[in-house]
Amino acid sequence: RSATAPNALAFTGPCYIGWASDVRLYEMTLALHLSAAVFAGVLAGACAQAPRAEVVRDVRYVQGGSLKQRLDLYVPARSNYPTVVFVHGGAWVMGDRGDAPNRALAKALQARGIACALVSYRLLPEAKPADQIADVAAAFAWVSRRSAQRGGDAQRVFLVGHSASGHLAALVASDPDHLARVGRTPGDVAGVVALGAPLALALPAVDLDQGPEWLRSAAQAVKAVDGALAGLDPLRTLGATMPRTLVMVGSDDYVPIK
């Protein structure tokens, strides 16, 4: 727990949450992490199973937005359900809400009576880090405003991000200015879960000559916006308004930006 953010909770464990070549390993890791979050109380109060459910795809969360500014909404067949706004990982430069592990995660939550909004957002280097932060904030605001209309509990909308998007989720929740731009406050966020997220960036530590090709490409794109990302550390904006937060990092995680 943090003195500056009393609602923050950190968890470390021997689980790998990096990009895995084995999709099933990746699926199981994400499911395990979020299951731990449920038992930690961050998603408390949701355990009913849904025999039937609804999936609404390609929802624009920004009027006139691009194809990346869309979400898929997995709604359980129950009322008063909590909602997870899940933002995919991908080192800020890759990934999509439609990737198989993300869909599997959404279906697993839906089957347990928890709605899930899978969010895509604009990627580097075409977009800027500020654009990505704005997208995550806009997606959360869209879901938060409409949760009750679909039968959900508007007081239990959680923001969850994996890897680079755990960084973005923590930024959105820790700095009230980001949510204020979309008419929301940190008080509208029931809780934040950051899975394997780099929360303190030191970009010179990136070794472009090491790792697989996707990692080298990602590192090059991140380095191109070094100045824009360098000041975007959630640890710098932690404060009393920070929602309940669970940070989960495996001891065997490979996080290239430390």
Side-chain angles (χ1 to χ4, degrees), residues 13-123:
C15 39
Y16 175 80
I17 194 170
W19 278 84
S21 57
D22 187 330
V23 171
R24 290 197 60 80
L25 174 62
Y26 182 87
E27 290 178 11
M28 288 188 293
T29 303
L30 279 178
L32 188 62
H33 277 71
L34 276 183
S35 295
V38 172
F39 287 110
V42 176
L43 303 178
C47 58
Q49 183 137 0
R52 299 177 62 184
E54 176 187 12
V55 180
V56 184
R57 302 188 188 278
D58 295 322
V59 178
R60 297 176 185 267
Y61 60 81
V62 174
Q63 187 173 6
S66 70
L67 291 176
K68 280 295 186 181
Q69 293 172 297
R70 298 188 183 186
L71 59 82
D72 295 340
L73 189 60
Y74 291 69
V75 182
R78 54 165 290 186
S79 60
N80 200 39
Y81 53 78
T83 300
V84 167
V85 179
F86 183 80
V87 194
H88 66 81
W92 299 281
V93 302
M94 66 186 73
D96 186 76
R97 69 186 186 282
D99 293 341
N102 302 325
R103 294 198 308 269
L105 178 66
K107 291 177 181 177
L109 291 173
Q110 182 187 46
R112 288 160 177 79
I114 303 171
C116 182
L118 290 181
V119 177
S120 291
Y121 58 95
R122 292 171 291 176
L123 303 174

Side-chain angles (χ1 to χ4, degrees), residues 181-200:
R181 295 187 184 100
V182 289
R184 302 280 93 177
T185 71
D188 295 313
V189 184
V192 178
V193 182
L195 305 173
L199 301 181

